[in-house]
């Protein structure tokens, strides 16, 4: 399994850092806490998909939901994945980018607004590196560190200085230092190589972290801190990890998804507790989950469908440990469900299961983690507005 020099993704999180011991089987260096050295150990693999497929976003040639993992095509060279509300994109080891599903706003990057139910190559570039998907927009970096975005742009989430939709990838500014973009419903954030944090798009809940609720159509630096290592977007909130492994959250907090002990929105980053061992973080629609360096998983926020994995449906406004396992390697948050990679690259999901997104062969919600049978692998991805799941294994 060849190592690849590029940034590592743990669920929705993006950035650069060292890896906790519990994550060693997942990657040599992960994307979330203390160092700028990056060496991935993902290799390549088959693409497995399940859950909502109402727009053909699973790329299986139809619009039928899948309640169990199903292989998409026959390729064994997939390396990166991203899941939007009704579209998905995936990168192959050749550096090509492929997308499927809803294309109402051009979010597939095909130069048109025609939906597709099979993975279709976006352009001819072979330099794609990291891809993320918002509700109806997509952003991705090239190997040279430049960032491109496309799709819906009603709130300026493409970062192009206007609110016009784009049906093909367009470069965001001229900076070539992007190492970790992340996409919320209608906003985008990213860490640059200098460890600065930038956000743009919708800001109705202060999710841009700029101290106000005014939308931005171009990237704006969040404060002056230069120690950001990773950022993960929820639907309308963000959480980020600094070099010292502290965790900071801001934006919408109606369900306690900021982990601050209340339900008050924040328009600038606020530290979550005093812990200094956070290793990765992911944002769902209105919940957040994060892994500490000892491999322990914590979740908080909305829990109406059991997406916190705590055995009940009660919201939490501060981080609560999920079970007793110390072997969690990565976690990814969906609209109302959560999935994670555990020991030996086993896959676990919990929460809402209305479209089979838990991969259990049924539509029964689960309030505690349940193993997805028949698959192992990494990376694993869903999205804060999504009820679909993708896995490379």
């Amino acid at each position: 399994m060849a190592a690849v020099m590029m940034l590592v993704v743990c669920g929705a999180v993006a950035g650069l850092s060292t890896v906790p011991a519990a994550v060693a089987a997942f990657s040599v260096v992960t994307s979330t806490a203390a160092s700028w050295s990056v060496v991935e150990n993902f290799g390549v693999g088959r693409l497995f998909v399940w859950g909502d497929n109402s727009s053909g976003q699973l790329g299986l040639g139809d619009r039928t939901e899948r309640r169990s993992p199903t292989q998409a095509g026959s390729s064994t060279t997939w390396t990166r994945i991203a899941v939007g509300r009704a579209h998905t994109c995936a990168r192959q080891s050749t550096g090509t980018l492929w997308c499927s599903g809803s294309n109402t706003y051009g979010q597939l990057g095909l130069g048109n607004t025609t939906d597709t139910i099979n993975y279709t190559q976006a352009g001819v570039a072979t330099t794609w590196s990291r891809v993320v998907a918002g509700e109806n927009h997509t952003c991705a970096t090239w190997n040279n560190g430049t960032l491109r975005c496309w799709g819906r742009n009603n709130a300026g989430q493409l970062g192009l200085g206007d609110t016009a939709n784009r049906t093909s990838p367009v470069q965001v500014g001229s900076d070539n230092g992007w190492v970790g973009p992340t996409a919320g419903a209608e906003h985008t954030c990213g860490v640059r190589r200098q460890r600065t944090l930038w956000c743009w798009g919708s800001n109705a809940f202060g999710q841009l972290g700029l101290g106000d609720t005014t939308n931005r159509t171009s990237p704006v630096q969040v404060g002056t801190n230069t120690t950001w290592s990773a950022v993960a977007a929820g639907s309308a909130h963000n959480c980020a990890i600094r070099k010292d492994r502290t965790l900071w959250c801001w934006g919408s907090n109606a369900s306690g998804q900021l982990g601050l002990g209340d339900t008050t929105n924040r328009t600038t980053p606020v530290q979550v507790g005093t812990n200094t061992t956070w290793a990765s973080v992911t944002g769902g629609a209105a919940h957040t989950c994060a892994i500490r360096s000892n491999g322990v998983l914590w979740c908080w926020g909305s829990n109406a469908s059991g997406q916190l994995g705590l055995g009940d449906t009660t919201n939490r406004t501060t981080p609560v440990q999920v079970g007793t396992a110390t072997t969690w390697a990565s976690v990814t948050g969906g609209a109302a469900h959560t999935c994670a990679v555990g020991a030996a690259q086993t896959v676990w999901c919990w929460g809402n299961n209305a479209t089979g997104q838990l991969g259990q062969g049924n539509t029964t919600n689960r309030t505690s983690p349940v193993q997805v049978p028949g698959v192992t692998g990494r990376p694993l991805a869903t999205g804060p507005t999504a009820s679909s799941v993708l896995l490379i294994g």
Side-chain angles (χ1 to χ4, degrees), residues 207-276:
Q207 60 262 49
L208 302 189
L210 303 174
D212 57 45
T213 55
T214 303
N215 293 357
R216 303 299 201 282
T217 61
S218 299
V220 179
Q221 186 172 349
V222 180
T224 59
N225 189 277
T226 57
T227 64
W228 297 106
S229 291
V231 59
S235 182
H237 75 287
N238 299 299
C239 290
I241 294 173
R242 289 183 178 175
K243 184 180 178 180
D244 61 3
R245 294 191 180 184
T246 55
L247 179 64
W248 301 70
C249 294
W250 63 98
S252 178
N253 196 32
S255 299
Q257 59 262 50
L258 302 188
L260 302 174
D262 57 45
T263 55
T264 303
N265 297 345
R266 302 300 200 281
T267 61
T268 57
V270 179
Q271 186 173 350
V272 180
T274 59
N275 189 275
T276 58

Side-chain angles (χ1 to χ4, degrees), residues 160-175:
L160 302 174
D162 57 46
T163 55
N165 298 344
R166 302 300 201 283
T167 61
S168 298
V170 179
Q171 185 170 335
V172 179
S174 59
D175 191 271

